[in-house]
Amino acid sequence: MKILSIVGPTAVGKTSFALELAAEILKNKNYTGIDLISVDSRQVYQELEIISGADIPLGFKKNKDKTLTYSFLNNESINLHGVSIIAPTAEWSVAHFQDLAWEVIESARKENHLVIMIGGTGLYHDQLLNLDASLRVKPNDEVRQKAETMELKDLQSWAEEVNPARFKQLNNSDINNPRRLIRLIEIGLATIQPQKSPTLLDMEQVYIGLNQDLAKIEQKIKVRVEERFLGEAIDEVKKLQQKHDDWSLPAFSALGVSEISQYLNNFFSKEDCLEQWTLHELQYARRQLTWWKNRDVSWFKIDDAEWKPTAFTYILNLC
């Protein structure tokens, strides 16, 4: 069973391409449907739809299948999973993403659907087939409470003591990241049960990359940020401020939330907000490109003439 992963930097047009690709595949292949899975660690949250860019494609409506844990969006033979499905206060991790994706893939197998994963969170793409049971170690409240009172050097010593093998593998950024260290400690202290291999893992994951000249991506980011700012993004953040107190939650690290919050609190002017938000989106695009560098990805540069028909032909031959 083949799984397609559509990857590339933010603003390059992965979702719109995937929707067009889905239509092409349904016209030319014998699949009865397409399951698109959003691979985005922030678009999964409700109440962040504008900020995170979790736009509902035209014609798609919310649906619920009693055999699936999460609701999804549907338009005829195309389903879109993983968009706006949990509260901002809910936990979401690689393990949660795996659960969602594996469930969808098992259903797709039974229904003769093709699965296409789309989105910018490279870690989730990469971990789809990872059966490392440590991914499923639950948060340890005692560890987290103790860690709140500890200096960084003490956290480092604790992590090295309880999980020496993984501690040696940390890069400099992770060694100085308390959240990473706490997770390492939780895993080191846990009793890990072997992961039972799901039947869905007799499959091949194929990576398709979309790219564009960085100057053009930057311009698209500027336009998109301003559109969201002038649209409903400000109201979205206002509602979040009124409803939620704990802003350390991962949901609120979505690009744009902090920048608009500082604008609303008069720390940023409108110009500062737009500049910082655009800068952070561009930095994210660069990190995404770095993530996929030197990996086995078939790239298509969307500035090239006839890139889309070429990409369609290539992918149709794969399917």
Side-chain angles (χ1 to χ4, degrees):
M1 181 179 184
K2 278 193 170 65
I3 305 295
L4 302 182
S5 271
I6 310 296
V7 304
T10 188
V12 80
K14 296 183 291 295
T15 300
S16 59
F17 172 74
L19 289 168
E20 290 183 61
L21 174 63
E24 284 292 315
I25 290 171
L26 288 172
K27 281 193 300 183
N28 292 281
K29 295 292 181 175
N30 64 350
Y31 294 102
T32 59
I34 304 289
D35 281 298
L36 304 175
I37 302 177
S38 174
V39 189
D40 192 297
S41 62
R42 297 300 176 260
Q43 290 185 6
V44 71
Y45 293 108
Q46 298 162 351
E47 303 178 38
L48 292 170
E49 288 85 356
I50 306 301
I51 288 284
S52 68
D55 305 313
I56 297 176
L58 188 65
F60 278 72
K61 295 181 180 179
K62 183 167 283 191
N63 207 327
K64 187 70 176 78
D65 183 329
K66 63 182 180 180
T67 66
L68 298 176
T69 303
Y70 300 100
S71 62
F72 58 96
L73 300 167
N74 168 262
N75 183 9
E76 297 182 350
S77 299
I78 301 175
N79 303 321
L80 175 58
H81 306 267
V83 174
S84 187
I85 56 173
I86 60 171
T89 52
E91 184 183 356
W92 192 255
S93 65
V94 172
H96 289 94
F97 172 75
Q98 282 185 333
D99 287 342
L100 178 148
W102 292 353
E103 198 175 61
V104 170
I105 291 167
E106 286 285 30
S107 173
R109 184 196 301 277
K110 296 172 184 175
E111 299 294 332
N112 189 33
H113 287 195
L114 178 69
V115 175
I116 304 176
M117 307 208 312
I118 45 170
T121 304
L123 177 66
Y124 288 6
H125 283 282
D126 276 359
Q127 297 300 316
L128 176 67
L129 306 183
N130 188 351
L131 293 179
D132 183 350
S134 68
L135 292 174
R136 302 186 171 274
V137 172
K138 295 182 179 180
N140 185 319
D141 290 337
E142 290 184 11
V143 168
R144 299 194 174 198
Q145 290 171 10
K146 181 178 178 180
E148 288 180 0
T149 66
M150 298 177 69
E151 299 289 338
L152 177 62
K153 61 182 179 60
D154 297 320
L155 272 178
Q156 291 168 338
S157 297
W158 191 12
E160 186 174 19
E161 176 187 351
V162 301
N163 205 338
R166 290 189 182 234
F167 184 83
K168 288 179 181 178
Q169 298 172 359
L170 296 180
N171 59 34
N172 186 63
S173 174
D174 287 340
I175 286 175
N176 292 285
N177 184 327
R179 185 168 58 84
R180 299 282 188 192
L181 294 170
I182 291 168
R183 186 59 185 157
L184 206 68
I185 293 165
E186 290 175 332
I187 293 170
L189 293 174
T191 300
I192 298 176
Q193 300 296 328
Q195 174 75 8
K196 183 179 178 181
S197 300
T199 57
L200 63 88
L201 291 181
D202 60 336
M203 64 188 186
E204 179 186 2
Q205 189 175 5
V206 181
Y207 290 90
I208 308 296
L210 305 186
N211 200 358
Q212 189 175 27
D213 180 77
L214 199 57
K216 293 182 179 179
I217 290 176
E218 181 176 8
Q219 185 57 40
K220 287 161 74 173
I221 287 173
K222 285 181 179 178
V223 171
R224 188 173 70 175
V225 164
E226 186 161 1
E227 286 177 347
R228 291 178 186 174
F229 183 90
L230 296 174
E232 299 178 25
I234 292 177
D235 287 339
E236 195 171 66
V237 175
K238 283 180 180 178
K239 291 175 182 176
L240 291 171
Q241 288 181 333
Q242 293 166 0
K243 190 172 180 180
H244 303 286
D245 295 324
D246 185 2
W247 280 66
S248 67
L249 294 167
F252 303 128
S253 67
L255 296 176
V257 173
S258 173
E259 294 84 352
I260 289 180
S261 294
Q262 293 183 77
Y263 166 74
L264 292 173
N265 293 328
N266 297 316
F267 292 113
F268 276 174
S269 66
K270 172 186 173 182
E271 291 73 22
D272 291 335
C273 178
L274 292 174
E275 180 181 348
Q276 288 300 306
W277 188 358
T278 299
L279 173 63
H280 295 155
E281 292 273 2
L282 183 59
Q283 290 172 337
Y284 178 49
R286 288 180 173 136
R287 291 196 300 273
Q288 289 172 310
L289 288 171
T290 299
W291 180 277
W292 295 113
K293 189 177 181 181
N294 300 323
R295 298 186 187 226
D296 187 14
V297 179
S298 297
W299 288 101
F300 295 90
K301 191 167 184 179
I302 68 173
D303 296 320
D304 295 342
E306 299 299 310
W307 76 270
K308 193 176 292 182
T310 302
F312 285 164
T313 299
Y314 175 78
I315 297 168
L316 286 170
N317 287 334
L318 289 174
C319 300

